[in-house]
Amino acid sequence: MLIQILLPAASFVSAQTIDPSSQSSVLAAAKGAMSPLQIYFLGSANGVDNRGPNRGAWLEEFSDSSNNGYKRYVVQWHESGIFWDLFYQYQGYSKDTQYTAFVDGNIQKELSIYHDQVAFLDQWSATAGRWNDDIGWWALAMMTAAEVMPGGVVAPQNQGNGNFNPKYLDVASTTHSQMFDNWDPSTCDGGIFWSRDRNAPKESDRFYKSAITNAQHVELGARLYAITKDNKYITQADQVYKWMQAHLMSSDYSISDGVDSRTCTPSDLRLSYHSAVLIRAAVQWYSGTRTQSWLDEAHKHFAHISTFFVNSQGVLYDPQCANNPSCKDPTGYLWPMYTALAELYNVSNDETVKSNIVNILHTSTTAVISSSNCNADWLCMRKYDQNTNFTIYDNTNIRDQFEVVSLLNALAVLNGANVVQQTQNTSPLPQETTHINTANAGPGSPGTSGGSTVLYAVIGGVIAGILLIGGGIVACCMRSRRKNAATAQRRVSLNIFSDAHVRHQPGRNAFQPNVGPQDAHHLQLSQGPQGYNDYPHRERRNPAGNESNFNTQQRV
């Protein structure tokens, strides 16, 4: 069902204010700010959906027919994973379950099967479509759901017809394993590759080991261990984190974006979300094991953040995106930072650290809410001209709403609204399908002599005919179910192809001018899923033209 967007993004009637130290004020603001996220995802403008067709993710790109076919990037697939995590986070501390079925239903549309395990990869995307950091963000959302609803499953009210209903925890665990499949001890002593394609035509895609992928793996492992107590997560986290310390981290806890595995030379690029994800990982490991060294690591990462990612006004920012028009705005790098700092506050025993966290988050709140120009209904989306990338069809910036909700979720945790475990409603909804009940179908009672024999023969023949017809119907139903499952799997494969097409464009990582129809991207091609022969590998624009130079590349 399409919901036409009626919210006036450009005509704000009043600016919002909030007391960031008041739990009631923050909870009321968060409740108000969540609604536009759902409304806009389900909405349309000028007759076009904001979400991809038959997708559980935001539309990634479109050609604006009202603007000479200008190609505009919207919300990339990996960011949709972060988007769904916001809802689960909100449910965790608010106990507001009104969005659960909506979120689960869309998560379900993005699930696939690979090596008999259900997660966010299929046979094709496991090497050529979705990248390790992409599936990592979606897995972290599943982890939040598992923490909020222990034992919960994806979309329990939408079963059958080829749909997947795995446990949240199982999806997170499967993705953790799939990411570690790309651990490579043969170069640079280890590290998880960013791309899953070891045969990608672009060398930079084949050889890059990114900080964010490895950091996500450490965080995901910590949260999985907290529930399962499986020591394999400790072993792998130690392995990955020590590799990061040796190859990506400086003595001041500055973290390189990654290394080219041909030279093992770290990039000069530094982005806040590397530190943010590792802070949260360290906090989670400390909480799950009470190992003091993990808390010490979190404090050291925070010391670096305080000096490098906080501006002179005391507001969190990314210096390499300051006054850089080719960065996304907001960049998205700070979304995990807000949560990480709030969680560090809750476990830290250092009063100076705690005080600094409060000051940073409160000051950042004032700046974000002011710049987003939130109205009285907590609609916080600026409007741009139609030549602006990463805006939706009505030219509003949905990323503003992501930013505000991320910050409000963190403030709620900072003010003591911790996660409350909830029981998931797993009762399936009635389905409009015809069920063939053959439980009582079978031969009649043993035959008798005399005239009854003919009667029973006739009855037996009728029953046999019914059984034969019923068996045919059941067989058809079984074939139909298999066909539905295959169709669902095929749909996911094509969806993965579609979002991979976008994510392998330069828009995947910003640090670039807006992309218009005049841009000719000469992309390398390889075989996509059935029927597609024009799969473009991710173009990672490098102005210097040097495959080993990663210093100008930005990623989320």
Side-chain angles (χ1 to χ4, degrees):
M1 175 175 140
L2 299 182
I3 301 174
Q4 183 70 28
I5 292 176
L6 299 176
L7 298 175
S11 54
F12 295 98
V13 295
S14 64
Q16 269 289 4
T17 58
I18 186 175
D19 179 358
S21 63
S22 166
Q23 185 179 114
S24 61
S25 178
V26 171
L27 290 177
K31 184 176 182 178
M34 291 303 300
S35 180
L37 289 180
Q38 181 185 37
I39 291 173
Y40 271 86
F41 181 82
L42 293 175
S44 62
N46 301 321
V48 185
D49 287 351
N50 286 327
R51 64 193 186 281
N54 300 314
R55 299 299 307 276
W58 284 85
L59 189 72
E60 294 195 74
E61 70 171 3
F62 73 97
S63 295
D64 191 346
S65 59
S66 67
N67 189 23
N68 299 316
Y70 179 86
K71 182 182 288 185
R72 187 190 306 178
Y73 296 102
V74 187
V75 177
Q76 293 163 305
W77 184 80
H78 66 284
E79 293 174 317
S80 289
I82 300 173
F83 170 73
W84 297 126
D85 200 358
L86 297 177
F87 286 90
Y88 291 127
Q89 290 174 23
Y90 168 74
Q91 179 183 338
Y93 66 78
S94 71
K95 295 182 286 186
D96 184 350
T97 61
Q98 66 175 301
Y99 301 108
T100 309
F102 158 68
V103 176
D104 270 16
N106 283 289
I107 292 283
Q108 186 181 55
K109 292 178 183 177
E110 297 299 311
L111 291 173
S112 187
I113 191 164
Y114 177 62
H115 288 173
D116 298 323
Q117 293 181 306
V118 176
F120 301 107
L121 295 177
D122 68 1
Q123 188 65 40
W124 174 73
S125 68
T127 56
R130 293 174 177 170
W131 292 30
N132 285 313
D133 64 326
D134 298 338
I135 61 175
W137 292 119
W138 285 75
L140 289 170
M142 291 290 86
M143 199 65 241
T144 304
E147 292 160 351
V148 173
M149 295 170 280
V153 302
V154 176
Q157 296 178 326
N158 187 22
Q159 300 186 26
N161 297 320
N163 292 319
F164 296 117
N165 303 99
K167 288 185 177 181
Y168 301 125
L169 187 68
D170 290 344
V171 177
S173 177
T174 293
T175 304
H176 181 271
S177 297
Q178 290 172 340
M179 293 172 73
F180 200 71
D181 286 344
N182 279 192
W183 172 268
D184 168 46
S186 68
T187 59
C188 308
D189 305 317
I192 300 172
F193 280 110
W194 184 38
S195 165
R196 299 187 63 84
D197 189 359
R198 301 283 68 78
N199 297 307
K202 277 195 75 69
E203 291 183 349
S204 56
D205 293 350
R206 291 204 300 270
F207 297 110
Y208 202 60
K209 298 180 178 181
S210 67
I212 191 58
T213 301
N214 287 271
Q216 288 173 322
H217 197 264
V218 177
E219 179 190 339
L220 193 54
R223 297 168 69 181
L224 284 165
Y225 175 79
I227 295 177
T228 67
K229 302 305 179 185
D230 188 333
N231 286 331
K232 75 177 182 182
Y233 297 117
I234 293 179
T235 301
Q236 291 183 2
D238 286 343
Q239 185 176 346
V240 175
Y241 190 70
K242 287 176 180 177
W243 178 82
M244 294 188 73
Q245 287 178 310
H247 293 273
L248 300 179
M249 290 169 54
S250 302
S251 59
D252 65 352
Y253 279 69
S254 170
I255 303 172
S256 166
D257 183 72
V259 296
D260 180 343
S261 63
R262 294 168 296 180
T263 64
C264 301
T265 302
S267 163
D268 291 334
L269 184 61
R270 303 289 188 272
L271 299 170
S272 61
Y273 73 157
H274 304 138
S275 298
V277 173
L278 284 181
I279 280 186
R280 194 176 190 198
V283 166
Q284 292 288 336
W285 275 116
Y286 172 70
S287 298
T289 65
R290 311 312 293 181
T291 302
Q292 181 62 36
S293 60
W294 278 115
L295 183 57
D296 294 341
E297 288 297 294
H299 284 151
K300 292 172 183 176
H301 284 294
F302 176 70
H304 172 67
I305 287 168
S306 300
T307 58
F308 194 77
F309 294 112
V310 178
N311 68 18
S312 58
Q313 287 75 46
V315 177
L316 286 163
Y317 82 128
D318 275 86
Q320 291 182 272
C321 277
N323 302 315
N324 186 338
S326 62
C327 279
K328 300 174 187 176
D329 180 22
T331 64
Y333 298 130
L334 294 175
W335 300 340
M337 178 68 77
Y338 302 136
T339 301
L341 294 188
E343 291 190 357
L344 176 58
Y345 176 88
N346 280 346
V347 302
S348 178
N349 53 10
D350 187 321
E351 292 303 319
T352 300
V353 168
K354 293 168 76 76
S355 176
N356 287 341
I357 288 174
V358 170
N359 290 336
I360 289 170
L361 286 180
H362 285 188
T363 305
S364 297
T365 298
T366 301
V368 167
I369 291 177
S370 175
S371 66
S372 299
N373 199 21
C374 299
N375 74 1
D377 297 319
W378 283 101
L379 176 65
C380 305
M381 293 165 59
R382 293 169 291 177
K383 192 157 187 171
Y384 292 84
D385 65 52
Q386 62 185 157
N387 294 321
T388 305
N389 248 333
F390 301 106
T391 55
I392 56 181
Y393 283 112
D394 64 353
N395 305 320
T396 52
N397 186 356
I398 190 65
R399 302 173 70 81
D400 285 335
Q401 201 75 21
F402 291 9
E403 183 94 352
V404 169
V405 170
S406 298
L407 191 48
L408 292 173
N409 282 349
L411 287 176
V413 174
L414 188 72
N415 286 309
N418 294 319
V419 172
V420 178
Q421 292 187 341
Q422 300 155 36
T423 301
Q424 184 186 38
N425 178 9
T426 59
S427 302
L429 296 174
Q431 297 187 30
E432 296 180 1
T433 56
T434 301
H435 297 281
I436 308 299
N437 185 359
T438 60
N440 298 320
S445 302
T448 59
S449 59
S452 298
T453 303
V454 175
L455 176 62
Y456 282 114
V458 172
I459 293 173
V462 172
I463 292 175
I466 291 173
L467 285 174
L468 184 62
I469 294 171
I473 293 173
V474 170
C476 287
C477 288
M478 293 298 292
R479 285 195 298 270
S480 177
R481 291 189 64 182
R482 287 194 295 269
K483 182 178 179 181
N484 286 338
T487 300
Q489 181 64 40
R490 170 69 174 153
R491 182 196 69 220
V492 172
S493 291
L494 297 184
N495 287 346
I496 293 172
F497 167 77
S498 176
D499 60 56
H501 174 91
V502 178
R503 288 180 293 109
H504 289 221
Q505 304 285 340
R508 163 71 169 86
N509 298 313
F511 262 126
Q512 53 146 12
N514 288 334
V515 180
Q518 71 281 2
D519 291 303
H521 302 303
H522 303 292
L523 302 175
Q524 301 279 0
L525 306 181
S526 74
Q527 181 70 38
Q530 296 177 18
Y532 287 85
N533 296 310
D534 58 347
Y535 171 71
H537 282 264
R538 186 186 317 211
E539 177 79 20
R540 298 174 61 205
R541 180 172 294 180
N542 187 337
N546 183 347
E547 288 290 350
S548 63
N549 180 358
F550 294 93
N551 298 342
T552 59
Q553 299 163 2
Q554 180 186 18
R555 291 171 293 283
V556 171

